Amino acid sequence: MLHDTNVKTIDKVVIRFAGDSGDGMQLAGNIFSNISAEEGDEISTFPDYPAEIRAPQGSLSGVSGYQVSVGKGVHTPGDEADVLVAMNPAALKTNLRYLKKDGVIVCDGDSFTPANLKKAEYATNDPVAELGIDPQRIMLVPMTTLLKSALADSGLDQKSIMKSKNMLALGIVCWLFDRPLESVLKKLQAKFAKKPAVYEANAKVLRAGWDYGHNTHSSMPVYRIETAESRPGLYTDITGNTATAWGLILASEKSGRPLFLGSYPITPATDILHELAKRKDLGVKAVQMEDEIAGVCSAIGASYGGHLAVTSTSGPGLALKSEGIGLAVMAELPLVVIDVQRGGPSTGLPTKTEQTDLMQALYGRNGESPVCVLAAVSPTDCFHMAFEAARIAMEHMTPVILLTDAFIANGSSAWRIPEPEDYPEIHPHTLPDNRLEAGWKPYDRDEETLVRYWAIPGTPGATHRVGGLEKDYKTSVISTDGENHALMVETRRQKIARIARDIPRVEPMCAVDSDTILVGWGGTYGHLLTAAQQLCEEGTPVAFHQFRYINPLPENALEMLKGYKRIIVAELNTGMFADYLQMQLPGKEILRINKVEGQPFLVKEIVEGVKRLVSEN
Amino acid sequence: MENNEKQGFAPADYKNSQNARWCPGCGDHAILNVLHKAMAELGVAPHDTAVISGIGCSSRLPYYMNTYGMHTIHGRAAAVATGLKTARPDLTVWQISGDGDGLAIGGNHFIHAIRRNVDINMLIFNNKIYGLTKGQYSPTSDRGTVSKSSPYGTTEDPFIPAELCFGARGNFFARSYDVALDLTREVMVAAARHAGASVVEVLQNCVIFNHGIHSSIIDKENRADHTIVLRHGEKMLFGENNTKGLVQEGFGLKAVTIGEDGYTIDDVLVHDAHAKDNFLQQQLAMMDGHDLPLAVGVIRDYAAPVYDQEVDRQTREVKEKKGYTGLRDLIMKTKETWNIG
């Protein structure tokens, strides 16, 4: 079918769908990334949406975007798009800056009405000229006209017809990238199983889009994307938030402890609550409490009751939960706190991404209040790290804060469904029967790990009280003794520090023998890895490591870092992890690359930053 | 759920070896002893019982129990108790809070635990003052109360715990006072037997910072005329030798002396704690002990769907209906998957 078109084979491609919040751009982008994953591509997606649910139609503030990268060696949704799909003049204006210089634009020509141009604040009636776009690189598709003629006999009203405009755009994109329409149709059929008329309309429009591309623009390059060589197995697509929820479910299965979530809706973490609420079908109890504080406190109650207890939130909610987390530190109860970081401070940028809660997670409580802090590096890694958070919480009787962020929480990737044997059994530190006979006290500890025992209510002979007041190290009763307090503070600190024995050691990647190491943590992994690989290719060899275990750091982390002349930390804040490392590496200057714009890094920002720092230091 | 079959526990089985560290003469001592007795009467084993408290003098109570227990953080006892009971409906869960802990900093959790109707027994020790922080006015302090934080008298009106409970659509409300040992035990047992959130307000005397705050109503010489003990199905009688009664007058209540002004025993209302409509119960609960006697005993006890049981039932039903064997099975059956070989 491609004999009359100019086919270009490429490794990976980046497409950005942009339109009004109600234009269905997320759906179009999502379908495109999923069918690509089924073709064997690696995928990475980035939904970029405004805080307003429905801003005024056609306005600059109401534009939402969905960027997807598919192909081989895909670790990020891409810095810049090869193709921009813009559904109106506002989307064109706000998203042009995300397009490569030689990128292609698909735009709804019918949307260039005087009213829309005014709403998008154009000075002239020719957006293409006004924005300086090369007319050769833009396909102005009369989408409304095409829609109306495709659906003339459908009997649908005007509003319903306009709703399928996203499928017209998707049809054109499928033509452009040589994607089979059959896979899209299968997805639409599943989505509209109960509305056959809507399915028929969407299918018609999708074909109309494909035909339009094929018939009228055969001179534009059609891309054939190289497929990646992935690890064999069964795959599905997954977002970070769903992965987080599923990792917790697996931890519940592997530990035999029922899963309880106490939560409160907050962007961008709410999808974890949504997913776990649905998972009543797996026996999960997910309750929506009256506020963030009740979310963490109900989880603490459930934890005392012997459940794998979780609370999910974002930065402002973590602030509200801090006293509760302190209680779990003092009562030494297992608790998983998920913080899907967003732009702050205060309400900040609720739908945008940042890594600015690191210090809050590490230190944001009264008193000496150490907790274990972890970070997930990608949408699929959320699964693994949620499992790890639950494992460490239950095996070490401590709160664990897992940091993800809006970027990886909403982004999706193809995910290899783990085989049952891929994950170990979890052994919660419950009270063994023989301990009870020996005259057990609630703060008795394992001498090696300093972990106390979890005595579950309902167990005869193990009744006990815990709480926020300091306890005597030996007798477990309330104590205000100064020396005892110092001992308990040190014990709680050591207990967290000794988790280092129970987590993987660090192994840097890329040019490990270089004198420079690029370091990151959490959700910037894809960008940093791509940058490190590019730097190696471009003659600036660097080693690279992305941290997932933040507190404690892996046992060999500081030694490993000390081996490098230059340590460059790149992060989406003003230097929190760099400061954290600096504290532990006195005399060693930590170099920094920082960004706080509510957006992920661009690979080129890191590449340029590293080159500059290497030449200056 | 709350199996009341006597299993042969004595009050001492619920008491631990710690000496209660409240001030001598504090009303909390009496309430603690009565709670041990009420638990023995209920017969739920100490290891199937959990007592959750917040912060304040009264919230030290779990440390003097031989049950499971947690002394949590200020105001959050109801939220912790909700989580524990929802996770573990098989346990009997008690929540201990004072007027500051339960109604000021914990006010939000208080009303929502009641609204949800989670099966916890919420004891509010009301002494109308902050004791542990040494004498500030509380959300139940009367207008004009002089305290360390209101040296010229408060300029705000108090909450009436019963009114909050009814406002949150509560299904169980009872009231007693610290020195009424038998009555307190009786209402605690009734609260525990009620399935759903039950609120018990115990008027309690703080000997140090608010001594005698309830005296004009509950002291021996005043209580006959200033309180009325309500029991379901019984006439609303009070006064020395039960010579007085409550009758309906218009939409309100009126205290009368039987045999005077043409009122007979037949005019006196019969208490219906089980009525769904809470209009009369609320009027009874709002009597302040001055114009009309303060109502003690079980004022409302209405059976409604219980949150933790409903969560449990729904979870079991959905799980059974879908029949997934685990996460992997669910993914295979609900997600589009593809093989890469």
Side-chain angles (χ1 to χ4, degrees), chain A residues 187 233 235-237 253 280 285 290 418 457-459 465-466, chain B residues 47 67-68 88 109 116 312 314 327-328 335-336 338 340:
Chain A
K187 295 225 176 313
Y235 281 73
T236 187
D237 72 298
E253 289 178 0
K280 274 202 166 103
K285 283 184 180 171
E290 57 271 17
T459 311
R465 278 66 51 197
V466 294
Chain B
H47 64 256
T67 61
Y68 284 92
R88 293 288 306 276
H109 310 308
R116 258 183 211 110
D312 212 44
Q314 196 179 54
L327 176 66
R328 199 180 156 84
K335 285 284 289 185
E336 272 186 74
W338 60 93
I340 294 180

PDB file of all heavy atoms in Angstrom, chain A residues 187 233 235-237 253 280 285 290 418 457-459 465-466, chain B residues 47 67-68 88 109 116 312 314 327-328 335-336 338 340:
ATOM      1  N   LYS A 187      -9.535  -1.646  19.141  1.00  0.00           N
ATOM      2  CA  LYS A 187      -9.599  -0.891  20.388  1.00  0.00           C
ATOM      3  C   LYS A 187     -10.915  -0.121  20.494  1.00  0.00           C
ATOM      4  O   LYS A 187     -11.537  -0.054  21.553  1.00  0.00           O
ATOM      5  CB  LYS A 187      -8.440   0.105  20.468  1.00  0.00           C
ATOM      6  CG  LYS A 187      -7.099  -0.549  20.545  1.00  0.00           C
ATOM      7  CD  LYS A 187      -6.249   0.111  21.615  1.00  0.00           C
ATOM      8  CE  LYS A 187      -4.924  -0.584  21.779  1.00  0.00           C
ATOM      9  NZ  LYS A 187      -4.958  -2.023  21.868  1.00  0.00           N
ATOM     10  N   GLY A 233       8.350 -12.058  26.500  1.00  0.00           N
ATOM     11  CA  GLY A 233       7.358 -12.196  27.553  1.00  0.00           C
ATOM     12  C   GLY A 233       6.031 -11.631  27.122  1.00  0.00           C
ATOM     13  O   GLY A 233       5.861 -11.189  25.979  1.00  0.00           O
ATOM     14  N   TYR A 235       3.254  -8.796  27.397  1.00  0.00           N
ATOM     15  CA  TYR A 235       3.295  -7.363  27.695  1.00  0.00           C
ATOM     16  C   TYR A 235       1.900  -6.770  27.763  1.00  0.00           C
ATOM     17  O   TYR A 235       0.949  -7.271  27.155  1.00  0.00           O
ATOM     18  CB  TYR A 235       4.082  -6.624  26.620  1.00  0.00           C
ATOM     19  CG  TYR A 235       5.585  -6.740  26.783  1.00  0.00           C
ATOM     20  CD1 TYR A 235       6.243  -7.921  26.499  1.00  0.00           C
ATOM     21  CD2 TYR A 235       6.326  -5.650  27.242  1.00  0.00           C
ATOM     22  CE1 TYR A 235       7.610  -8.035  26.658  1.00  0.00           C
ATOM     23  CE2 TYR A 235       7.705  -5.754  27.404  1.00  0.00           C
ATOM     24  CZ  TYR A 235       8.347  -6.939  27.107  1.00  0.00           C
ATOM     25  OH  TYR A 235       9.704  -7.042  27.277  1.00  0.00           O
ATOM     26  N   THR A 236       1.797  -5.648  28.494  1.00  0.00           N
ATOM     27  CA  THR A 236       0.611  -4.810  28.420  1.00  0.00           C
ATOM     28  C   THR A 236       1.097  -3.375  28.616  1.00  0.00           C
ATOM     29  O   THR A 236       2.267  -3.153  28.926  1.00  0.00           O
ATOM     30  CB  THR A 236      -0.447  -5.211  29.462  1.00  0.00           C
ATOM     31  OG1 THR A 236      -1.636  -4.454  29.231  1.00  0.00           O
ATOM     32  CG2 THR A 236       0.023  -4.944  30.884  1.00  0.00           C
ATOM     33  N   ASP A 237       0.195  -2.403  28.432  1.00  0.00           N
ATOM     34  CA  ASP A 237       0.631  -1.029  28.678  1.00  0.00           C
ATOM     35  C   ASP A 237       0.165  -0.621  30.067  1.00  0.00           C
ATOM     36  O   ASP A 237      -0.858  -1.085  30.558  1.00  0.00           O
ATOM     37  CB  ASP A 237       0.074  -0.072  27.625  1.00  0.00           C
ATOM     38  CG  ASP A 237      -1.407   0.158  27.807  1.00  0.00           C
ATOM     39  OD1 ASP A 237      -2.160  -0.825  27.696  1.00  0.00           O
ATOM     40  OD2 ASP A 237      -1.809   1.298  28.087  1.00  0.00           O
ATOM     41  N   GLU A 253      -0.146  -9.958  48.088  1.00  0.00           N
ATOM     42  CA  GLU A 253      -0.201 -11.393  47.776  1.00  0.00           C
ATOM     43  C   GLU A 253       1.033 -12.124  48.285  1.00  0.00           C
ATOM     44  O   GLU A 253       0.947 -13.245  48.774  1.00  0.00           O
ATOM     45  CB  GLU A 253      -0.334 -11.597  46.252  1.00  0.00           C
ATOM     46  CG  GLU A 253      -1.697 -11.191  45.711  1.00  0.00           C
ATOM     47  CD  GLU A 253      -1.805 -11.356  44.193  1.00  0.00           C
ATOM     48  OE1 GLU A 253      -0.830 -11.795  43.547  1.00  0.00           O
ATOM     49  OE2 GLU A 253      -2.895 -11.044  43.651  1.00  0.00           O
ATOM     50  N   LYS A 280     -11.461  -3.929  44.819  1.00  0.00           N
ATOM     51  CA  LYS A 280     -12.254  -4.712  45.771  1.00  0.00           C
ATOM     52  C   LYS A 280     -12.379  -6.126  45.227  1.00  0.00           C
ATOM     53  O   LYS A 280     -12.515  -7.083  45.975  1.00  0.00           O
ATOM     54  CB  LYS A 280     -13.648  -4.089  45.918  1.00  0.00           C
ATOM     55  CG  LYS A 280     -13.720  -2.982  46.953  1.00  0.00           C
ATOM     56  CD  LYS A 280     -15.155  -2.772  47.439  1.00  0.00           C
ATOM     57  CE  LYS A 280     -15.182  -1.914  48.693  1.00  0.00           C
ATOM     58  NZ  LYS A 280     -15.580  -0.545  48.448  1.00  0.00           N
ATOM     59  N   LYS A 285      -9.210  -3.222  50.424  1.00  0.00           N
ATOM     60  CA  LYS A 285     -10.095  -2.241  51.047  1.00  0.00           C
ATOM     61  C   LYS A 285      -9.491  -0.854  50.828  1.00  0.00           C
ATOM     62  O   LYS A 285      -8.453  -0.533  51.416  1.00  0.00           O
ATOM     63  CB  LYS A 285     -10.260  -2.521  52.539  1.00  0.00           C
ATOM     64  CG  LYS A 285     -11.213  -3.688  52.808  1.00  0.00           C
ATOM     65  CD  LYS A 285     -11.450  -3.919  54.283  1.00  0.00           C
ATOM     66  CE  LYS A 285     -12.402  -5.095  54.468  1.00  0.00           C
ATOM     67  NZ  LYS A 285     -12.504  -5.510  55.874  1.00  0.00           N
ATOM     68  N   GLU A 290     -12.058  11.633  55.010  1.00  0.00           N
ATOM     69  CA  GLU A 290     -12.563  13.004  54.972  1.00  0.00           C
ATOM     70  C   GLU A 290     -11.462  14.023  54.706  1.00  0.00           C
ATOM     71  O   GLU A 290     -11.758  15.164  54.354  1.00  0.00           O
ATOM     72  CB  GLU A 290     -13.312  13.354  56.272  1.00  0.00           C
ATOM     73  CG  GLU A 290     -12.501  13.200  57.569  1.00  0.00           C
ATOM     74  CD  GLU A 290     -12.602  11.788  58.147  1.00  0.00           C
ATOM     75  OE1 GLU A 290     -13.001  10.879  57.407  1.00  0.00           O
ATOM     76  OE2 GLU A 290     -12.283  11.612  59.330  1.00  0.00           O
ATOM     77  N   PRO A 418       5.117  -9.501  35.090  1.00  0.00           N
ATOM     78  CA  PRO A 418       6.071 -10.399  35.754  1.00  0.00           C
ATOM     79  C   PRO A 418       5.487 -11.801  35.913  1.00  0.00           C
ATOM     80  O   PRO A 418       4.292 -11.973  36.110  1.00  0.00           O
ATOM     81  CB  PRO A 418       6.307  -9.743  37.109  1.00  0.00           C
ATOM     82  CG  PRO A 418       5.189  -8.803  37.310  1.00  0.00           C
ATOM     83  CD  PRO A 418       4.663  -8.418  35.969  1.00  0.00           C
ATOM     84  N   PRO A 457      -3.614  -7.561  66.672  1.00  0.00           N
ATOM     85  CA  PRO A 457      -4.781  -7.685  67.555  1.00  0.00           C
ATOM     86  C   PRO A 457      -5.587  -8.933  67.218  1.00  0.00           C
ATOM     87  O   PRO A 457      -5.726  -9.299  66.050  1.00  0.00           O
ATOM     88  CB  PRO A 457      -5.573  -6.403  67.270  1.00  0.00           C
ATOM     89  CG  PRO A 457      -4.543  -5.411  66.852  1.00  0.00           C
ATOM     90  CD  PRO A 457      -3.509  -6.204  66.100  1.00  0.00           C
ATOM     91  N   GLY A 458      -6.111  -9.556  68.257  1.00  0.00           N
ATOM     92  CA  GLY A 458      -6.799 -10.829  68.080  1.00  0.00           C
ATOM     93  C   GLY A 458      -5.933 -11.982  68.569  1.00  0.00           C
ATOM     94  O   GLY A 458      -6.429 -13.070  68.823  1.00  0.00           O
ATOM     95  N   THR A 459      -4.615 -11.705  68.719  1.00  0.00           N
ATOM     96  CA  THR A 459      -3.699 -12.734  69.209  1.00  0.00           C
ATOM     97  C   THR A 459      -3.790 -12.794  70.734  1.00  0.00           C
ATOM     98  O   THR A 459      -3.469 -11.807  71.397  1.00  0.00           O
ATOM     99  CB  THR A 459      -2.235 -12.402  68.822  1.00  0.00           C
ATOM    100  OG1 THR A 459      -2.197 -12.071  67.431  1.00  0.00           O
ATOM    101  CG2 THR A 459      -1.311 -13.560  69.110  1.00  0.00           C
ATOM    102  N   ARG A 465       0.067  -1.876  74.159  1.00  0.00           N
ATOM    103  CA  ARG A 465      -0.256  -0.518  73.763  1.00  0.00           C
ATOM    104  C   ARG A 465       0.949   0.123  73.093  1.00  0.00           C
ATOM    105  O   ARG A 465       2.082  -0.046  73.562  1.00  0.00           O
ATOM    106  CB  ARG A 465      -0.653   0.338  74.983  1.00  0.00           C
ATOM    107  CG  ARG A 465      -2.097   0.203  75.444  1.00  0.00           C
ATOM    108  CD  ARG A 465      -2.499  -1.154  76.001  1.00  0.00           C
ATOM    109  NE  ARG A 465      -1.626  -1.666  77.030  1.00  0.00           N
ATOM    110  CZ  ARG A 465      -1.582  -2.933  77.430  1.00  0.00           C
ATOM    111  NH1 ARG A 465      -2.373  -3.844  76.883  1.00  0.00           N
ATOM    112  NH2 ARG A 465      -0.748  -3.310  78.374  1.00  0.00           N
ATOM    113  N   VAL A 466       0.703   0.833  72.012  1.00  0.00           N
ATOM    114  CA  VAL A 466       1.757   1.644  71.391  1.00  0.00           C
ATOM    115  C   VAL A 466       1.233   3.074  71.312  1.00  0.00           C
ATOM    116  O   VAL A 466       0.058   3.328  71.558  1.00  0.00           O
ATOM    117  CB  VAL A 466       2.143   1.137  69.975  1.00  0.00           C
ATOM    118  CG1 VAL A 466       2.789  -0.225  70.043  1.00  0.00           C
ATOM    119  CG2 VAL A 466       0.934   1.122  69.061  1.00  0.00           C
TER     120      VAL A 466
ATOM    121  N   HIS B  47      -8.153  -9.603  74.141  1.00  0.00           N
ATOM    122  CA  HIS B  47      -7.347  -9.642  72.908  1.00  0.00           C
ATOM    123  C   HIS B  47      -8.187  -9.406  71.650  1.00  0.00           C
ATOM    124  O   HIS B  47      -7.637  -9.337  70.554  1.00  0.00           O
ATOM    125  CB  HIS B  47      -6.550 -10.951  72.820  1.00  0.00           C
ATOM    126  CG  HIS B  47      -7.386 -12.180  72.720  1.00  0.00           C
ATOM    127  ND1 HIS B  47      -7.590 -13.033  73.767  1.00  0.00           N
ATOM    128  CD2 HIS B  47      -8.091 -12.699  71.690  1.00  0.00           C
ATOM    129  CE1 HIS B  47      -8.376 -14.025  73.399  1.00  0.00           C
ATOM    130  NE2 HIS B  47      -8.699 -13.841  72.137  1.00  0.00           N
ATOM    131  N   THR B  67      -5.927  -4.391  77.090  1.00  0.00           N
ATOM    132  CA  THR B  67      -6.432  -4.760  75.768  1.00  0.00           C
ATOM    133  C   THR B  67      -5.375  -4.341  74.750  1.00  0.00           C
ATOM    134  O   THR B  67      -4.311  -3.857  75.126  1.00  0.00           O
ATOM    135  CB  THR B  67      -7.728  -4.003  75.465  1.00  0.00           C
ATOM    136  OG1 THR B  67      -7.425  -2.602  75.485  1.00  0.00           O
ATOM    137  CG2 THR B  67      -8.801  -4.316  76.501  1.00  0.00           C
ATOM    138  N   TYR B  68      -5.662  -4.495  73.466  1.00  0.00           N
ATOM    139  CA  TYR B  68      -4.845  -3.824  72.453  1.00  0.00           C
ATOM    140  C   TYR B  68      -5.181  -2.334  72.517  1.00  0.00           C
ATOM    141  O   TYR B  68      -6.312  -1.955  72.876  1.00  0.00           O
ATOM    142  CB  TYR B  68      -5.128  -4.391  71.065  1.00  0.00           C
ATOM    143  CG  TYR B  68      -4.485  -5.746  70.871  1.00  0.00           C
ATOM    144  CD1 TYR B  68      -5.175  -6.916  71.156  1.00  0.00           C
ATOM    145  CD2 TYR B  68      -3.165  -5.833  70.457  1.00  0.00           C
ATOM    146  CE1 TYR B  68      -4.561  -8.155  71.014  1.00  0.00           C
ATOM    147  CE2 TYR B  68      -2.548  -7.067  70.307  1.00  0.00           C
ATOM    148  CZ  TYR B  68      -3.249  -8.221  70.589  1.00  0.00           C
ATOM    149  OH  TYR B  68      -2.621  -9.426  70.444  1.00  0.00           O
ATOM    150  N   ARG B  88     -10.453  -4.406  60.298  1.00  0.00           N
ATOM    151  CA  ARG B  88     -10.682  -5.552  61.184  1.00  0.00           C
ATOM    152  C   ARG B  88     -12.047  -5.467  61.846  1.00  0.00           C
ATOM    153  O   ARG B  88     -12.155  -5.202  63.058  1.00  0.00           O
ATOM    154  CB  ARG B  88      -9.577  -5.575  62.257  1.00  0.00           C
ATOM    155  CG  ARG B  88      -8.180  -5.879  61.727  1.00  0.00           C
ATOM    156  CD  ARG B  88      -8.028  -7.335  61.307  1.00  0.00           C
ATOM    157  NE  ARG B  88      -8.401  -8.248  62.373  1.00  0.00           N
ATOM    158  CZ  ARG B  88      -7.595  -8.629  63.368  1.00  0.00           C
ATOM    159  NH1 ARG B  88      -6.350  -8.204  63.418  1.00  0.00           N
ATOM    160  NH2 ARG B  88      -8.018  -9.459  64.302  1.00  0.00           N
ATOM    161  N   HIS B 109     -12.973  14.625  62.060  1.00  0.00           N
ATOM    162  CA  HIS B 109     -13.013  13.157  62.116  1.00  0.00           C
ATOM    163  C   HIS B 109     -14.219  12.687  62.923  1.00  0.00           C
ATOM    164  O   HIS B 109     -14.819  11.671  62.611  1.00  0.00           O
ATOM    165  CB  HIS B 109     -11.719  12.612  62.721  1.00  0.00           C
ATOM    166  CG  HIS B 109     -10.486  13.184  62.087  1.00  0.00           C
ATOM    167  ND1 HIS B 109     -10.290  13.171  60.725  1.00  0.00           N
ATOM    168  CD2 HIS B 109      -9.411  13.812  62.619  1.00  0.00           C
ATOM    169  CE1 HIS B 109      -9.131  13.756  60.459  1.00  0.00           C
ATOM    170  NE2 HIS B 109      -8.589  14.156  61.588  1.00  0.00           N
ATOM    171  N   ARG B 116     -20.381   8.226  58.666  1.00  0.00           N
ATOM    172  CA  ARG B 116     -20.110   6.936  58.022  1.00  0.00           C
ATOM    173  C   ARG B 116     -20.782   5.780  58.733  1.00  0.00           C
ATOM    174  O   ARG B 116     -20.991   4.737  58.176  1.00  0.00           O
ATOM    175  CB  ARG B 116     -18.601   6.673  58.092  1.00  0.00           C
ATOM    176  CG  ARG B 116     -17.891   6.929  56.837  1.00  0.00           C
ATOM    177  CD  ARG B 116     -16.423   6.574  56.945  1.00  0.00           C
ATOM    178  NE  ARG B 116     -15.758   7.476  56.065  1.00  0.00           N
ATOM    179  CZ  ARG B 116     -14.984   8.463  56.427  1.00  0.00           C
ATOM    180  NH1 ARG B 116     -14.708   8.642  57.698  1.00  0.00           N
ATOM    181  NH2 ARG B 116     -14.481   9.268  55.533  1.00  0.00           N
ATOM    182  N   ASP B 312     -16.952  -4.584  54.059  1.00  0.00           N
ATOM    183  CA  ASP B 312     -16.574  -5.993  54.075  1.00  0.00           C
ATOM    184  C   ASP B 312     -17.473  -6.811  53.142  1.00  0.00           C
ATOM    185  O   ASP B 312     -16.988  -7.621  52.354  1.00  0.00           O
ATOM    186  CB  ASP B 312     -16.713  -6.509  55.512  1.00  0.00           C
ATOM    187  CG  ASP B 312     -15.704  -7.582  55.824  1.00  0.00           C
ATOM    188  OD1 ASP B 312     -14.530  -7.396  55.448  1.00  0.00           O
ATOM    189  OD2 ASP B 312     -16.089  -8.604  56.413  1.00  0.00           O
ATOM    190  N   GLN B 314     -19.369  -5.724  50.608  1.00  0.00           N
ATOM    191  CA  GLN B 314     -19.170  -5.356  49.200  1.00  0.00           C
ATOM    192  C   GLN B 314     -17.877  -5.980  48.656  1.00  0.00           C
ATOM    193  O   GLN B 314     -17.854  -6.498  47.541  1.00  0.00           O
ATOM    194  CB  GLN B 314     -19.105  -3.834  49.093  1.00  0.00           C
ATOM    195  CG  GLN B 314     -19.274  -3.314  47.690  1.00  0.00           C
ATOM    196  CD  GLN B 314     -19.217  -1.793  47.672  1.00  0.00           C
ATOM    197  OE1 GLN B 314     -18.266  -1.192  48.157  1.00  0.00           O
ATOM    198  NE2 GLN B 314     -20.245  -1.176  47.122  1.00  0.00           N
ATOM    199  N   LEU B 327      -3.675 -11.024  41.103  1.00  0.00           N
ATOM    200  CA  LEU B 327      -3.361  -9.893  40.228  1.00  0.00           C
ATOM    201  C   LEU B 327      -3.101 -10.349  38.788  1.00  0.00           C
ATOM    202  O   LEU B 327      -3.615  -9.768  37.835  1.00  0.00           O
ATOM    203  CB  LEU B 327      -2.135  -9.153  40.775  1.00  0.00           C
ATOM    204  CG  LEU B 327      -1.620  -7.999  39.917  1.00  0.00           C
ATOM    205  CD1 LEU B 327      -2.638  -6.870  39.866  1.00  0.00           C
ATOM    206  CD2 LEU B 327      -0.290  -7.470  40.465  1.00  0.00           C
ATOM    207  N   ARG B 328      -2.307 -11.402  38.635  1.00  0.00           N
ATOM    208  CA  ARG B 328      -1.943 -11.848  37.295  1.00  0.00           C
ATOM    209  C   ARG B 328      -3.180 -12.288  36.509  1.00  0.00           C
ATOM    210  O   ARG B 328      -3.348 -11.949  35.334  1.00  0.00           O
ATOM    211  CB  ARG B 328      -0.934 -13.002  37.402  1.00  0.00           C
ATOM    212  CG  ARG B 328      -0.163 -13.214  36.132  1.00  0.00           C
ATOM    213  CD  ARG B 328       0.828 -14.352  36.263  1.00  0.00           C
ATOM    214  NE  ARG B 328       1.107 -14.875  34.943  1.00  0.00           N
ATOM    215  CZ  ARG B 328       2.005 -14.357  34.101  1.00  0.00           C
ATOM    216  NH1 ARG B 328       2.722 -13.317  34.468  1.00  0.00           N
ATOM    217  NH2 ARG B 328       2.188 -14.872  32.912  1.00  0.00           N
ATOM    218  N   LYS B 335      -6.922  -6.905  30.671  1.00  0.00           N
ATOM    219  CA  LYS B 335      -6.059  -5.999  29.908  1.00  0.00           C
ATOM    220  C   LYS B 335      -5.750  -6.594  28.544  1.00  0.00           C
ATOM    221  O   LYS B 335      -5.703  -7.808  28.379  1.00  0.00           O
ATOM    222  CB  LYS B 335      -4.738  -5.784  30.669  1.00  0.00           C
ATOM    223  CG  LYS B 335      -4.846  -4.881  31.880  1.00  0.00           C
ATOM    224  CD  LYS B 335      -4.952  -3.412  31.515  1.00  0.00           C
ATOM    225  CE  LYS B 335      -3.641  -2.844  30.977  1.00  0.00           C
ATOM    226  NZ  LYS B 335      -3.736  -1.391  30.737  1.00  0.00           N
ATOM    227  N   GLU B 336      -5.520  -5.698  27.585  1.00  0.00           N
ATOM    228  CA  GLU B 336      -5.012  -6.188  26.302  1.00  0.00           C
ATOM    229  C   GLU B 336      -3.549  -6.518  26.481  1.00  0.00           C
ATOM    230  O   GLU B 336      -2.779  -5.699  26.986  1.00  0.00           O
ATOM    231  CB  GLU B 336      -5.137  -5.078  25.260  1.00  0.00           C
ATOM    232  CG  GLU B 336      -6.476  -5.090  24.567  1.00  0.00           C
ATOM    233  CD  GLU B 336      -6.488  -4.071  23.462  1.00  0.00           C
ATOM    234  OE1 GLU B 336      -5.856  -4.331  22.432  1.00  0.00           O
ATOM    235  OE2 GLU B 336      -7.097  -3.020  23.668  1.00  0.00           O
ATOM    236  N   TRP B 338       0.073  -8.540  24.763  1.00  0.00           N
ATOM    237  CA  TRP B 338       0.688  -9.047  23.541  1.00  0.00           C
ATOM    238  C   TRP B 338       2.013  -9.715  23.879  1.00  0.00           C
ATOM    239  O   TRP B 338       2.644  -9.372  24.864  1.00  0.00           O
ATOM    240  CB  TRP B 338       0.883  -7.937  22.500  1.00  0.00           C
ATOM    241  CG  TRP B 338       1.753  -6.813  22.957  1.00  0.00           C
ATOM    242  CD1 TRP B 338       3.093  -6.682  22.780  1.00  0.00           C
ATOM    243  CD2 TRP B 338       1.328  -5.642  23.668  1.00  0.00           C
ATOM    244  NE1 TRP B 338       3.534  -5.500  23.336  1.00  0.00           N
ATOM    245  CE2 TRP B 338       2.478  -4.848  23.882  1.00  0.00           C
ATOM    246  CE3 TRP B 338       0.100  -5.177  24.144  1.00  0.00           C
ATOM    247  CZ2 TRP B 338       2.428  -3.631  24.557  1.00  0.00           C
ATOM    248  CZ3 TRP B 338       0.041  -3.971  24.808  1.00  0.00           C
ATOM    249  CH2 TRP B 338       1.199  -3.215  25.002  1.00  0.00           C
ATOM    250  N   ILE B 340       5.822 -10.839  23.157  1.00  0.00           N
ATOM    251  CA  ILE B 340       7.050 -10.555  22.406  1.00  0.00           C
ATOM    252  C   ILE B 340       7.958 -11.741  22.631  1.00  0.00           C
ATOM    253  O   ILE B 340       8.313 -12.066  23.757  1.00  0.00           O
ATOM    254  CB  ILE B 340       7.679  -9.221  22.863  1.00  0.00           C
ATOM    255  CG1 ILE B 340       6.733  -8.073  22.487  1.00  0.00           C
ATOM    256  CG2 ILE B 340       9.050  -9.045  22.227  1.00  0.00           C
ATOM    257  CD1 ILE B 340       7.197  -6.706  22.859  1.00  0.00           C
TER     258      ILE B 340
END
